[in-house]
Amino acid sequence: MTRVGILLSGNGSNMEALVRGMQAQPEEAQPKLVLSNNPDAGGLARAAALGVATAVVDHRPFTGDRAAFEAAMMVELDRAGIEMIALAGFMRIMTPATIQHWQGRMINIHPSILPLFKGLHTHARALEAGVAVHGCTVHVVTEELDSGPILGQAVVPVRGGDTPDRLAARVLKAEHLIYPRALQAFARDPDALLAAPISMLGLPDDG
Ligand code: GRF
C-alpha cells in the first residue's frame, strides 16, 4: 500500500475524486495527508469531511524563499510518511531540488490534451484555437512545466456556444474519472502504466 499525499490550493474537487477512489480500493494506495499552501482552500474542509488528515503551509511568510517553503512542506509530508504525491490544483511551481526529490513519485493533472496548451487559461486558449476536442492529461511531474511522461488522457468535445466555464466544467468531469484510475494504476505499477497510458474516449455525453 502506497501512502499518498495530495497537494492543493483551491476547491479540491480532484482531491475528493482521488480520495473516494482510494477509499473504495485501499489495497493499492491510501490518502494520508491533504496539504495546502492556502489556508482558505475549500479543499481543506472537504478533505476533513472525508476523514483525511490536513495541513497548511502558507507560502506567504516565505516570500522569495521557495526552498524554505518547500522544506516546511517536507516536514509535514515526512511526518505523515508520504511516499507519493498527487498534485490537485496546487498553484505553486516547485524548485528543481524538490521535483528531483520526488522524481517518479509525483503526478499531476493538467486541464488540456498535452502537449497542447501548457500553462494557465487552457480552456479559453482551446476555444480561441478553434479545436473540436479538448480534455485533460495525467502526467509525471518533471522539471519542465506540464511536460512529464503521460499516464493518461481523457477527451471531451468542444461544443458550439461553449464558454471557458462551460468547457471547464465538462473537462472537470473527465478529470474526476481519469485521475483516480491513473493514480491507482501508477501506485500499483508505474512502468506498466507508462508503457500503456490510459486513454478515455467517448465519455458519457451529459453537457
Ligand atoms: C483542475 O482543473 C486541474 O486540472 C487543475 O486545477 C484544477 C483544480 O480543480 N490542475 P479542483 O481544485 O480539483 O476542483
Side-chain angles (χ1 to χ4, degrees):
M1 187 276 288
T2 305
R3 300 175 67 89
V4 177
I6 302 172
L7 270 54
L8 56 75
S9 302
N11 189 31
S13 70
N14 276 287
M15 176 281 301
E16 178 158 351
L18 292 176
V19 168
R20 288 189 187 282
M22 287 187 267
Q23 287 177 339
Q25 224 177 322
E27 314 79 41
E28 305 292 359
Q30 290 180 17
K32 295 298 184 187
L33 183 67
V34 167
L35 177 57
S36 178
N37 65 300
N38 171 13
D40 302 322
L44 288 167
R46 247 172 138 147
L50 289 161
V52 182
T54 62
V56 175
V57 178
D58 192 337
H59 63 280
R60 287 169 297 189
F62 296 96
T63 319
D65 192 349
R66 273 200 294 161
F69 164 62
E70 290 169 8
M73 286 205 304
M74 273 305 298
V75 169
E76 298 296 338
L77 295 166
D78 282 345
R79 209 201 308 270
I82 297 306
E83 299 166 309
M84 175 190 157
I85 290 180
L87 303 180
F90 182 67
M91 301 307 284
R92 312 300 303 171
I93 293 181
M94 290 182 184
T95 60
T98 295
I99 293 172
Q100 271 157 28
H101 176 84
W102 291 100
Q103 196 166 18
R105 300 185 296 147
M106 179 155 64
I107 66 176
N108 181 43
I109 188 155
H110 181 76
S112 78
I113 301 292
L114 291 172
L116 288 173
F117 312 124
K118 296 176 183 181
L120 297 174
H121 311 301
T122 57
H123 308 301
R125 287 158 59 207
L127 290 176
E128 257 165 47
V131 292
V133 292
H134 187 43
C136 56
T137 303
V138 181
H139 65 93
V140 179
V141 176
T142 57
E143 282 180 43
E144 204 184 327
L145 191 70
D146 300 330
S147 299
I150 289 171
L151 302 173
Q153 295 188 305
V155 173
V156 304
V158 178
R159 299 200 186 290
D162 265 354
T163 60
D165 283 351
R166 283 184 59 179
L167 185 53
R170 195 174 307 126
V171 172
L172 200 59
K173 286 186 193 164
E175 294 182 35
H176 299 162
L177 294 176
I178 196 167
Y179 205 8
R181 261 184 67 183
L183 181 147
Q184 283 164 293
F186 190 74
R188 186 163 50 237
D189 188 344
D191 292 335
L193 184 58
L194 283 162
I198 299 167
S199 53
M200 292 183 85
L201 310 166
L203 293 168
D205 191 351
D206 55 0

